[in-house]
Amino acid sequence: MGLDRLRFHLVDSERSPGARQRRRRLDWLARTFPDLSEMTVLDLGGRLGTWTRATVRPARVHVVNLERPPAEVPPWAHVEHGDACDLPPAVTGRHYDLVFSNSVVEHVGGHERRLRFADAVRSLADRYWVQTPYRYFPIEPHWIAPGMQFLPVRLRTEVARRWPLGHKQTRTHEAAIRQVLWTELLDRSQMRHYFPDSRLLVERVAGLPKSLIAVRTP
């Protein structure tokens, strides 16, 4: 199997271990919030596909991210372009049953913007679920590269340029360093600081902490 196809089979394919893990995480979400199917959910930084594939779908989903909205959106969803750290009035003027975010807080751009992100999460709903990859899992999840997150920026940039399993292929130094600097994995202390009113769940792979989930329930 070529390395260009290995990532697809490890992470991106619907039958991949990564896809199975994402489905288990959504099932965990549904068990944590048994009335999920009746909720109005704000998804910060996510994609509509998360919910079209979910076993349990909320009554209404409002997705906000920096990508262009898809041409077709089902009647139970609304997708709009927006910055999760600087949300438009159409979002901040509402209150949701649940704020959901999956693998986003590590990409928003530094401590100050993570504080703004966390403030938005905590102010827009009484319940939330915020997941992020754990910094000390031995494999960096975006590039599927062992120990990459512990290297100096210069070496991480070289890995981002040359490692074939990255989530986005980059050939130039400028593109690679941009990806590296916009990816800051978090640890338990940081998540507890940003979400002090939550309980911290730990998702494990082979017994090792793979991701952290800050959860606030009623």
Side-chain angles (χ1 to χ4, degrees):
M1 182 189 303
L3 287 176
D4 58 338
R5 297 291 295 170
L6 182 56
R7 180 185 174 88
F8 176 78
H9 289 283
L10 287 175
V11 178
D12 299 328
S13 164
E14 286 300 311
R15 298 183 178 180
S16 69
R20 290 196 296 271
Q21 185 178 11
R22 291 189 291 272
R23 286 192 291 270
R24 287 195 295 269
R25 191 180 300 149
L26 285 174
D27 290 343
W28 194 1
L29 172 74
R31 293 193 301 273
T32 304
F33 299 99
D35 54 344
L36 179 64
S37 63
E38 303 168 13
M39 287 184 174
T40 298
V41 174
L42 174 63
D43 184 340
L44 291 180
R47 292 188 174 97
L48 187 58
T50 297
W51 304 106
T52 58
R53 294 189 295 266
T55 304
V56 178
R57 195 189 70 212
R60 295 284 300 173
V61 177
H62 189 169
V63 177
V64 179
N65 64 31
L66 294 174
E67 299 176 352
R68 179 180 299 176
E72 296 185 9
V73 177
W76 48 266
H78 177 67
V79 182
E80 70 178 281
H81 179 273
D83 184 341
C85 301
D86 187 16
L87 291 165
V91 177
T92 57
R94 297 183 57 182
H95 193 76
Y96 299 83
D97 296 319
L98 174 71
V99 175
F100 172 91
S101 182
N102 189 76
S103 296
V104 173
V105 67
E106 73 271 17
H107 295 297
V108 299
H111 172 63
E112 189 273 336
R113 281 178 56 83
R114 286 193 291 270
L115 284 172
R116 289 162 60 186
F117 177 90
D119 286 345
V121 168
R122 295 164 59 203
S123 67
L124 289 168
D126 296 327
R127 293 171 281 193
Y128 60 74
W129 169 287
V130 178
Q131 180 271 350
T132 190
Y134 181 48
R135 174 173 173 75
Y136 295 106
F137 188 70
I139 298 174
E140 204 291 332
H142 303 90
W143 283 272
I144 319 180
M148 177 183 172
Q149 66 270 39
F150 308 121
L151 298 175
V153 169
R154 180 178 62 84
L155 294 180
R156 276 186 281 155
T157 301
E158 287 304 305
V159 172
R161 282 186 61 196
R162 303 173 189 278
W163 189 249
L165 302 182
H167 58 131
K168 292 181 182 178
Q169 292 301 308
T170 52
R171 295 290 177 253
T172 68
H173 174 84
E174 197 57 38
I177 197 170
R178 188 182 305 117
Q179 282 193 25
V180 164
L181 294 178
W182 278 95
T183 304
E184 301 176 89
L185 300 185
L186 308 183
D187 64 16
R188 297 174 196 243
S189 296
Q190 289 169 291
M191 286 293 280
R192 289 193 181 103
H193 177 73
Y194 296 130
F195 304 101
D197 53 353
S198 73
R199 59 190 174 104
L200 206 59
L201 306 181
V202 179
E203 185 179 40
R204 296 179 183 273
V205 170
L208 299 175
K210 171 67 168 57
S211 70
L212 307 174
I213 308 169
V215 176
R216 186 169 70 186
T217 57

